[in-house]
Amino acid sequence: MTVVHDLASVLPSESILVDGTSAYLADETEGRGFRGRADAVVLPSTADEVARVLAWCYEHDVPLIPRGGGTGYAGGAVPLDGGVVLGLERMARVRSFDPLLWRMCVEAGVTTATVRRLARENGLQFPPDPGASEQSQIGGNIATNAGGPHAFKNGVTGAWVTGLEAVVPPGEIVTVGGPIRKDVAGYDLKSLLIGSEGTLGIITAAWLRLLPAPEAAFPVAAFYAGVAEGCGAIQRVMGSGLQVAALEYLDGPTLGAAGGSFPEGLPDGAGFLVLAEADGSAEGAEGLRSELLDVLSQEALSVRAPTEAATIAALWRWREGVSIAVGAQRGGKVSEDIVVPLDRLQEAIEGTLEIGERHGLPTCSWGHAGDGNLHSTFMVARDDEERLARAEAAADEVFELAVRLGGSISGEHGVGWMKRGQLARQWGPRAVELHAEIKRVFDPKGLLNPGKKIAAAEGEGFEPSRGLHP
Ligand SMILES: Cc1cc2nc3c(=O)[nH]c(=O)nc-3n(C[C@H](O)[C@H](O)[C@H](O)COP(=O)(O)OP(=O)(O)OC[C@H]3O[C@@H](n4cnc5c(N)ncnc54)[C@H](O)[C@@H]3O)c2cc1C
């Protein structure tokens, strides 16, 4: 009969969602009018249940779409045209935590914030800090290889994963790595799964590496008149050899959208913000902060360098809310996350503004300056089909800009559905072919998250619903 009915033969009834399935058909790209359709939504509680679902899908040729917290910006967790959405939220156990050995093993559905909180409460740090941490899951972070402001010093999520448990076609649980800090015994399957966006396997648990938390961390926020002055300051921070923990930027229009809630207000004439953080031992962080103040003060309109915990927390809270504030301007946004070599950052920021102006769209960018990672963004109302189409065309030009500047179409959000077909722009034919071959080895029937990541531009025959549906 129906997929839901048949799945009851392999799963307990409480693992099959009957009501409230509509929340599992979209992610953050709903603001771009993107929503899918599924035949069933399942919420397994164990890796064994995940394996049974995948085995059933393989036997019946039904697509399976893994889903974490649904905070993705690439449409990766959205089912295109039917299939089974598999949410990991009930796999939320901490399997082991050894603070004295700086490591933990968690199930995929544990939220990013829980991992970070648990580490912090024990004097440790899980450095990756993607913005939607209360909602996103560690499995989703690994599947997208998520970044965040502090990836600058410590690297993206993948750098903190020492092992994975995953379910791979046709429905088997495999383990690669574990609670070990080094492992070169085989091909690096762990790294293949990291960032694979649910197209190679379903991550069910991860062993994570942690760090002792820095004793102190001080942000320095420096405002400049424009892009040239701000990018000059970023280059000076790098050139001075200051090992800051985070090195962020916001351009003028982003400040226009989000600046209203900046703690203590913006200075007059602010057209660019550089936000850096000095961390380390109490003495080391203080020393680095003072050097940072020297470097960032050159050509700055104003510099704020709070030292009180509450003010520092307010500043980072404000930074976390930037994406939402920008989205609130028009009710929706088309936001990409290109990467360019650091010496091309100014061109990428100015290029984004030029593209938006040409398409007649309110445009801005902000992001992880130290990593050359921009969130090039076009602000549009989510029900304005005509402007949405223009914004998608503008985003396409942003990808072209990134590649022309020697960069990448994605630094942290992944490819998902939204950037399908763009890989061929970045790589030569053989590199693209190798991706397809790897996909076939893991998933010979092509049932794991079809149409995503390495799919061709036309989506390999899938045409999901566009526009908002209830
Ligand atoms: C306000 C806001 C700020 C953000 N800031 C950042 C940021 O600073 N840096 C950043 O990198 N991202 C950021 N993001 C994007 C998003 O939070 C990340 O991409 C995050 O890693 C997605 O995790 P998720 O659990 O929500 O995954 P989902 O959105 O549910 O899924 C993302 C992809 O991973 C796959 N997937 C999910 N779980 C699994 C699993 N267990 N096994 C296999 N595949 C799986 C899905 O199929 C999909 O392809 C932000 C989003 C928001 C809304």
Side-chain angles (χ1 to χ4, degrees):
M1 207 177 100
T2 63
V3 171
V4 169
H5 178 269
D6 281 6
L7 279 168
S9 65
V10 294
L11 277 184
S13 58
E14 63 269 20
S15 298
I16 303 169
L17 202 63
V18 178
D19 298 318
T21 52
S22 125
Y24 293 81
L25 304 180
D27 65 5
E28 282 297 320
T29 54
E30 192 161 16
R32 293 165 76 160
F34 182 42
R35 172 165 267 272
R37 186 187 74 75
D39 296 307
V41 176
V42 298
L43 302 176
S45 300
T46 63
D48 187 53
E49 282 185 18
V50 174
R52 275 187 268 148
V53 177
L54 182 54
W56 183 91
C57 286
Y58 243 68
E59 204 179 312
H60 295 85
D61 289 326
V62 174
L64 189 154
I65 301 92
R67 181 186 178 89
T71 67
Y73 277 132
V78 180
L80 300 181
D81 190 19
V84 176
V85 172
L86 185 148
L88 275 301
E89 66 207 48
R90 289 193 188 157
M91 291 201 61
R93 284 166 289 258
V94 175
R95 289 189 181 169
S96 65
F97 181 29
D98 304 295
L100 298 181
L101 295 171
W102 310 354
R103 70 183 192 203
M104 69 168 88
C105 178
V106 295
E107 291 185 343
V110 173
T111 64
T112 319
T114 304
V115 170
R116 286 175 56 79
R117 204 174 298 125
L118 196 54
R120 198 168 50 242
E121 286 167 1
N122 288 274
L124 296 167
Q125 180 193 24
F126 178 65
D129 57 346
S133 66
E134 293 290 346
Q135 221 184 317
S136 69
Q137 300 173 3
I138 203 70
N141 295 162
I142 294 169
T144 53
N145 206 359
H150 291 82
F152 175 60
K153 180 173 175 184
N154 290 312
V156 291
T157 302
W160 300 91
V161 177
T162 63
L164 288 177
E165 175 192 272
V167 173
V168 296
E172 279 166 59
I173 302 172
V174 295
T175 297
V176 285
I180 49 178
R181 291 173 66 92
K182 294 172 87 175
D183 180 11
V184 295
Y187 293 133
D188 197 350
L189 297 184
K190 171 172 68 78
S191 292
L192 269 180
L193 286 164
I194 292 168
S196 64
E197 301 181 49
T199 61
L200 300 182
I202 304 151
I203 295 156
T204 49
W207 283 266
L208 305 174
R209 200 160 65 81
L210 307 166
L211 267 187
E215 215 179 333
F218 300 115
V220 177
F223 293 93
Y224 302 89
V227 183
E229 294 85 351
C231 286
I234 291 162
Q235 298 265 0
R236 275 196 301 280
V237 171
M238 300 287 291
S240 309
L242 301 182
Q243 264 212 295
V244 294
L247 187 53
E248 301 279 293
Y249 86 93
L250 276 74
D251 75 354
T254 309
L255 286 175
S261 54
F262 186 83
E264 295 173 33
L266 299 184
D268 287 343
F272 199 92
L273 168 64
V274 176
L275 174 58
E277 185 182 80
D279 74 351
S281 65
E283 200 184 332
E286 184 50 58
L288 185 55
R289 173 179 177 271
S290 118
E291 286 182 88
L292 195 52
L293 267 168
D294 273 355
V295 171
L296 287 180
S297 294
Q298 293 170 40
E299 293 193 38
L301 299 174
S302 167
V303 180
R304 315 270 172 84
T307 51
E308 284 177 13
T311 326
I312 291 173
L315 182 56
W316 281 113
R317 239 188 344 268
W318 171 80
R319 168 62 188 87
E320 270 175 31
V322 165
S323 177
I324 290 164
V326 168
Q329 293 297 300
R330 294 285 193 283
K333 61 181 163 52
V334 170
S335 190
E336 298 303 346
D337 75 313
I338 57 168
V339 183
V340 294
L342 257 190
D343 51 324
R344 315 302 294 270
L345 185 63
Q346 181 177 341
E347 284 169 83
I349 295 170
E350 289 171 342
T352 295
L353 291 171
E354 185 276 320
I355 290 169
E357 194 175 329
R358 217 163 3 85
H359 287 271
L361 297 164
T363 303
C364 65
S365 78
W366 71 95
H368 314 305
D371 285 331
N373 190 186
L374 297 74
H375 297 313
S376 300
T377 302
F378 307 102
M379 295 171 259
V380 276
R382 51 169 65 195
D383 55 358
D384 187 338
E385 294 276 343
E386 191 271 325
R387 277 199 180 77
L388 267 174
R390 261 195 272 156
E392 298 293 353
D396 198 65
E397 287 187 37
V398 164
F399 299 137
E400 197 271 325
L401 172 73
V403 173
R404 182 160 46 78
L405 295 178
S408 169
I409 60 163
S410 178
E412 52 180 23
H413 296 161
V415 174
W417 162 261
M418 288 295 162
K419 286 170 234 179
R420 67 198 178 281
Q422 297 291 341
L423 293 184
R425 203 169 223 174
Q426 189 171 323
W427 296 323
R430 183 62 190 139
V432 173
E433 221 172 76
L434 281 170
H435 278 71
E437 285 169 22
I438 287 167
K439 167 75 172 167
R440 273 194 294 277
V441 169
F442 273 81
D443 179 21
K445 286 190 167 188
L447 294 174
L448 266 180
N449 216 359
K452 310 289 174 55
K453 186 86 174 168
I454 60 161
E458 62 279 10
E460 292 177 344
F462 287 93
E463 198 43 65
S465 325
R466 287 302 300 246
L468 295 174
H469 306 282

